[in-house]
Amino acid sequence: MLDVTSSANSDAGKLRAYGGESGDARVARRRAALIDAALDMLAEPEPGAVTVRGICTRAELTPRYFYESFENADALVGAAYDLIIEQIAERALEGFNAGSGPRGKVAGAVEAIVDIIAGDPRKGRVFFSDTLRSPVVAAKRVEMLALFTQLTFQSAPEVADVTGGQETLAAAHFQVGGLGRLLASWTEGLVDLDRAALVDICVRMLLPESRTVDSPAAQLS
């Protein structure tokens, strides 16, 4: 015997196309709009609490559409931060792998990071700024530092004369922390450098020996 009720419920759960746009595409578009609105709110000079009502107003969506993608406002903030981490990690790794030689690899990774935060300053502020007091962002930052420290530790043998161990791990923590602080200061306007100068000073600090080889300052001396 055909289970009509089960079949009806299954059909009801499917999102139908509307206006030439599939149901899944509509959900994805609304989700992206909510994340974009969260980035706007988190990047404000004096960000307040991110609430469902505030996000929906900013995204011009009703709470019904908020809850189709997120359980609560904290889940949305976490998703926005994860998106930035994913973009930076992916593009930095691509830049590193595409580089030639130690300086080229480090420069490729730094350039990729700078391009992301320069292309969308909101992402730089959310990712690096210490002024955000969101518990979710604070927890995500701990995860981010651990991830990038591990990536730096794993790539160290390719750009420096190291074999691993606790000293290399300590250096990785130092480099990730220093790079993050510099980029945060740049996004906040505390450091006035153009893109090329910023990338150069980052590379020189990450690879001090490269200064005597191929940095602009060395070439002028």
Side-chain angles (χ1 to χ4, degrees):
M1 178 178 179
L2 176 64
D3 188 345
V4 177
T5 302
S6 176
S7 177
N9 287 339
S10 177
D11 290 339
K14 295 179 181 179
L15 295 172
R16 297 180 179 180
Y18 180 80
E21 185 180 30
S22 71
D24 288 343
R26 292 200 307 277
V27 172
R29 173 171 52 80
R30 289 191 289 260
R31 187 178 190 277
L34 291 166
I35 290 178
D36 194 62
L39 288 175
D40 277 346
M41 295 183 72
L42 289 168
E44 288 177 347
E46 296 183 5
V50 176
T51 63
V52 173
R53 181 184 296 274
I55 286 291
C56 288
T57 299
R58 182 76 63 111
E60 298 183 347
L61 293 170
T62 65
R64 167 194 171 189
Y65 293 125
F66 178 95
Y67 290 111
E68 75 180 353
S69 293
F70 302 103
E71 182 179 352
N72 51 43
D74 283 348
L76 170 59
V77 171
Y81 201 92
D82 285 342
L83 175 65
I84 302 173
I85 292 178
E86 181 180 347
Q87 290 178 343
I88 288 181
E90 181 178 331
R91 290 180 57 180
L93 185 58
E94 289 176 354
F96 183 90
N97 289 334
S100 177
R103 192 179 196 282
K105 287 183 174 296
V106 173
V110 173
E111 286 172 353
I113 297 172
V114 171
D115 283 347
I116 289 174
I117 64 177
D120 189 344
R122 300 174 307 169
K123 293 178 180 178
R125 177 168 172 74
V126 173
F127 195 65
F128 293 112
S129 177
D130 293 330
T131 61
L132 293 177
R133 298 297 179 232
S134 165
V136 176
V137 170
K140 289 292 181 182
R141 282 214 176 105
V142 172
E143 295 178 16
M144 177 271 291
L145 287 172
L147 170 63
F148 282 91
T149 297
Q150 189 60 35
L151 290 175
T152 302
F153 175 75
Q154 291 174 354
S155 62
E158 294 189 52
V159 297
D161 185 19
V162 295
T163 57
Q166 289 302 302
E167 288 188 358
T168 303
L169 182 60
H173 278 283
F174 185 84
Q175 290 182 331
V176 169
L179 178 64
R181 184 59 259 168
L182 174 55
L183 294 179
S185 297
W186 188 67
T187 61
E188 293 164 3
L190 300 177
V191 173
D192 185 15
L193 293 173
D194 62 25
R195 175 187 175 281
L198 177 66
V199 171
D200 181 66
I201 191 63
C202 287
V203 174
R204 286 160 54 192
M205 294 299 100
L206 292 169
L207 292 175
E209 69 279 4
S210 69
R211 184 180 183 205
T212 62
V213 178
D214 55 0
S215 75
Q219 294 172 3
L220 293 174
S221 62

